[in-house]
Amino acid sequence: MDLHFGDSKPTDEERAAVDALLGPPESAWEAPAGEWVERSADDLRWARGGRPARDRRDLLLPGLHAINDRIGWISDGALDYLCRRLTVPPAEAYGVATFYSMFSVRPRPATVLHVCTDLACAARGAAEVCAGVEQRLGPGSGVHVERSPCLGLCERAPAALAVRAGDPVRTAVAAPATTESAVLAATSPDAADEEPPAVLAVPQAGMPSPGCEKTGRDPELVLLRRVGVVDPASLDDYRAEGGYAALRRAFDIGPAGVIREVTDSGLVGRGGAAFPTGRKWQATAAQPDHPHYLVCNADESEPGTFKDRVIMEGDPYALIESMTIAGYAVGAHRGYLYLRGEYPRALARLEHAIGQARARGLLGDDVLGQGYAFDIEIRRGAGAYICGEETALFNSIEGYRGEPRSKPPFPVEKGLFGKPTAENNVETLVNVLPILTMGAEAYAAIGTGKSTGPKLFCVSGSVARPGIYELPFGATLGELLELAGPPQGLRAVLLGGAAGGFVRPDELDIPLTFEGTREAGTTLGSGVVLVLDDTVPLPRILLRIAEFFRDESCGQCVPCRVGTVRQEEALTRLLERTGAEAENDIALLREVGRAMRDASICGLGQTAWNAVESAIDRLGAYA
């Protein structure tokens, strides 16, 4: 295989970043002789590297992170050196590096300030923050300002994230962001990065829930009960609050017993597809091909979604325990936790928690002395919404562009590395803990017959108390808004995020269940509830949704690649057109929307028209 390496050379710092991940080159086959490794007599006799190096292809994404974190961008020389070490064609590696928005292959300052301009932040004045920051941090400031999609900080919108390259990389969050606080985060990250109180993310955790008297519901927290109560860094605190009781019961009843309990509980996926979790686990466990893998999808990039981030930051050991149980049930001995690149605090919390769990025998070769080996590896995403789709996520971990695969075969048969894989998101996994501690029957008694258990809702936008709310399935949209403090002039509510649908102010009696929202002609999705008052310009919000899908389309299939661009173009024209011209654009939108829905490979293209369609048909957005 001719890899066609270029003539560019890495700097000492770039080489050190790669070597810190991969170790020093073992032979001149991994690096040009005479430059970093002297050619030995053995190197002249046989080639070392080859298949073992190619088997490390999955380290390409961590390698790109290592360079980008240390330098701030990825040069041709650094990319070539990484490709030599992994025996990856540079053209393929370039395609991977340019796939992710957090990487740059062009020179830029070491500090990058990401200012969110997505839906929740746009409704809270992100445009003014962006304009102010760009004016203050112009050329020559040493800071590169990027208008960013959702940063997962919607409860504190508008938000900004500063990343300063170096060893180690430093990050800082400004949220709610002003021009001054965003500039401070970029120029003095240590001074700006203070952790907010948990009550800002989980309003129910710090005070009696407002509105309980009106709704008649007492939202006793199950999934969020430890957030803001225990020290997220302390394994002892976690165990004192019932931690690892579920894993002990899992070992008592065995893998088949765990799957039976999860199946009987009625638990379905909380990422939006609502596939029965027990069926997925059973199908994975039954596959004769080995090894089996477990993948936790923590790449929640849907605009308006931040529930998984709150769990990982506030209760990281719960995710580690639930991943261990899931791995035990499906026969996996390794779990991959694919984490959003925009979540630096969650990354630090999880790395610490995994280290503590290993040290205490809760991960490793003999978990709890039960003879079961299981460990977790964190893989960071780098800013690609499409990687929330499970097969795109697998490609990303394996070191390829995060493009979805055709199905079948399904992941339970051929998933990560071509092996049987169970993939679940964070909220789905942590629901396994109460299922095992309270029993499947008691868990199934929460919620409704078809949507069982508690559900987390990400409420943001024009409400008094934005944050994560935990309610049993079956509560109405109106009851949820009462808890969050609805606005006086309610214009619309977007359910399910950019891929969801709008509902009118007179539809607040919709039950928040998968079947209830379907019957109402909308979707529950991942639990996004974005509230818009009558001061928010709806056509601008719709255009932002279209821009989001245009940017995030992976480009693999024509209906999505072309359709998202045509949708954005039509919505741009509709900002100024009326009458017959507007009707023509709306007709074009419907035609393009149907084509994307019917012919796109994955859910991104299939749902890119949903919110726009609902705004036209339910809200009369362009009437």
Side-chain angles (χ1 to χ4, degrees):
M1 178 172 59
D2 189 350
L3 299 183
H4 290 288
F5 291 113
D7 296 327
S8 301
K9 303 295 188 291
T11 66
D12 289 344
E13 197 169 7
E14 289 169 340
R15 183 163 50 87
V18 174
D19 291 349
L21 175 72
L22 303 179
E26 294 184 359
S27 76
W29 291 98
E30 292 190 37
E35 295 180 7
W36 309 295
V37 177
E38 292 297 330
R39 177 168 290 162
S40 68
D42 285 344
D43 290 336
L44 298 176
R45 298 168 71 89
W46 63 79
R48 285 185 286 173
R51 183 178 298 278
R54 288 194 292 275
D55 286 344
R56 298 195 298 174
R57 167 85 187 231
D58 66 296
L59 294 178
L60 179 59
L61 184 57
L64 294 172
H65 267 297
I67 298 167
N68 199 74
D69 286 350
R70 182 78 67 94
I71 310 300
W73 67 288
I74 301 165
S75 71
D76 290 346
L79 190 65
D80 261 16
Y81 182 65
L82 178 62
C83 289
R84 287 182 187 275
R85 298 296 315 277
L86 297 176
T87 321
V88 173
E92 291 186 22
Y94 182 84
V96 173
T98 54
F99 186 82
Y100 299 97
S101 64
M102 296 187 76
F103 296 150
S104 175
V105 294
R106 294 183 176 87
R108 66 180 181 184
T111 300
V112 178
L113 180 65
H114 303 269
V115 183
C116 180
T117 59
D118 231 315
L119 305 180
C121 289
R124 288 283 193 168
E128 292 78 7
V129 174
C130 280
V133 167
E134 288 168 345
Q135 184 176 11
R136 292 273 297 275
L137 299 174
S141 67
V143 177
H144 175 72
V145 179
E146 279 196 3
R147 295 188 174 222
S148 169
C150 184
L151 295 173
L153 295 162
C154 314
E155 82 279 14
R156 290 180 277 147
L161 169 67
V163 181
R164 178 177 292 182
D167 185 20
V169 64
R170 291 193 291 170
T171 61
V173 167
T178 62
T179 298
E180 290 71 24
S181 64
V183 170
L184 180 64
T187 56
S188 303
D190 293 331
D193 196 15
E194 296 182 2
E195 184 174 1
V199 69
L200 291 181
V202 186
Q204 291 168 306
M207 57 184 180
S209 298
C212 286
E213 301 81 8
K214 297 179 182 178
T215 65
R217 294 184 181 274
D218 181 18
E220 296 179 356
L221 300 182
V222 176
L223 306 179
L224 300 176
R225 67 187 181 88
R226 282 183 290 262
V227 176
V229 176
V230 304
D231 178 0
S234 173
L235 178 55
D236 290 332
D237 276 12
Y238 176 70
R239 298 185 77 163
E241 290 291 328
Y244 283 96
L247 180 59
R248 291 186 182 279
R249 179 159 189 257
F251 284 134
D252 288 341
I253 63 178
V258 172
I259 293 175
R260 184 168 54 252
E261 286 284 285
V262 172
T263 302
D264 292 346
S265 73
L267 176 66
V268 298
R270 301 300 202 241
F275 189 84
T277 304
R279 282 176 55 192
K280 179 184 290 188
W281 288 12
Q282 178 60 50
T284 306
Q287 295 298 318
D289 194 14
H290 285 274
H292 295 179
Y293 290 106
L294 172 75
V295 173
C296 173
N297 184 347
D299 190 56
E300 55 169 4
S301 303
E302 185 71 51
T305 309
F306 51 99
K307 57 187 175 60
D308 292 352
R309 189 207 88 229
V310 171
I311 292 173
M312 291 185 289
E313 291 181 356
D315 198 9
Y317 290 104
L319 179 57
I320 293 169
E321 181 184 5
S322 58
M323 286 185 68
T324 309
I325 293 170
Y328 177 65
V330 304
H333 297 286
R334 176 161 290 273
Y336 287 88
L337 200 168
Y338 191 89
L339 177 65
R340 275 199 78 182
E342 296 91 341
Y343 285 176
R345 180 172 285 122
L347 174 64
R349 293 276 167 82
L350 287 165
E351 286 179 336
H352 173 80
I354 289 172
Q356 291 295 302
R358 285 196 192 112
R360 302 276 285 272
L362 300 168
L363 288 175
D365 294 335
D366 188 13
V367 176
L368 279 178
Q370 297 292 318
Y372 169 62
F374 184 76
D375 213 338
I376 296 171
E377 184 174 344
I378 298 176
R379 291 296 177 94
R380 293 161 60 198
Y385 170 77
I386 191 64
C387 288
E389 197 278 337
E390 58 186 356
T391 61
L393 185 156
F394 299 156
N395 278 340
S396 181
I397 291 176
E398 291 176 18
Y400 297 92
R401 288 168 61 88
E403 296 173 339
R405 304 172 185 174
S406 297
K407 301 175 188 176
F410 294 98
V412 297
E413 301 167 314
K414 290 189 179 296
L416 185 64
F417 304 120
K419 298 297 182 179
T421 304
E423 181 268 353
N424 298 106
N425 74 354
V426 173
E427 184 187 356
T428 305
L429 286 168
V430 296
N431 268 275
V432 174
L433 304 183
I435 289 172
L436 292 182
T437 53
M438 69 172 58
E441 184 177 352
Y443 179 92
I446 302 171
T448 66
K450 294 183 179 179
S451 296
T452 63
K455 179 74 183 81
L456 301 181
F457 297 96
C458 310
V459 184
S460 61
S462 307
V463 293
R465 293 174 293 277
I468 300 294
Y469 288 84
E470 180 183 321
L471 290 175
F473 274 114
T476 67
L477 178 58
E479 291 171 348
L480 176 60
L481 294 190
E482 280 297 311
L483 295 177
Q488 291 296 319
L490 179 60
R491 174 71 173 91
V493 179
L494 177 61
L495 293 180
F502 287 96
V503 298
R504 300 186 304 269
D506 61 350
E507 297 179 298
L508 300 186
D509 59 347
I510 292 176
L512 295 174
T513 61
F514 292 112
E515 66 275 13
T517 51
R518 278 196 297 268
E519 290 173 5
T522 184
T523 178
L524 194 61
S526 59
V528 174
V529 180
L530 176 64
V531 182
L532 303 176
D533 64 20
D534 51 18
T535 67
V536 177
L538 188 58
R540 291 284 178 185
I541 293 292
L542 297 180
L543 179 57
R544 182 66 189 92
I545 291 174
E547 291 171 347
F548 172 81
F549 281 116
R550 175 209 64 198
D551 290 341
E552 297 297 339
S553 172
C554 74
Q556 181 180 195
C557 66
V558 173
C560 180
R561 181 176 70 242
V562 177
T564 52
V565 175
R566 296 292 172 262
Q567 179 173 263
E568 182 207 6
E569 291 172 345
L571 290 171
T572 300
R573 293 192 295 268
L574 280 170
L575 292 177
E576 298 179 354
R577 287 184 172 179
T578 57
E581 288 185 329
E583 288 298 321
N584 289 337
D585 278 324
I586 290 174
L588 175 63
L589 281 169
R590 293 188 188 281
E591 182 179 354
V592 169
R594 283 195 295 269
M596 289 193 292
R597 183 175 292 163
D598 293 342
S600 295
I601 289 176
C602 79
L604 187 150
Q606 294 164 11
T607 60
W609 153 245
N610 285 2
V612 179
E613 180 184 35
S614 66
I616 293 171
D617 293 342
R618 299 179 86 121
L619 304 180
Y622 299 102

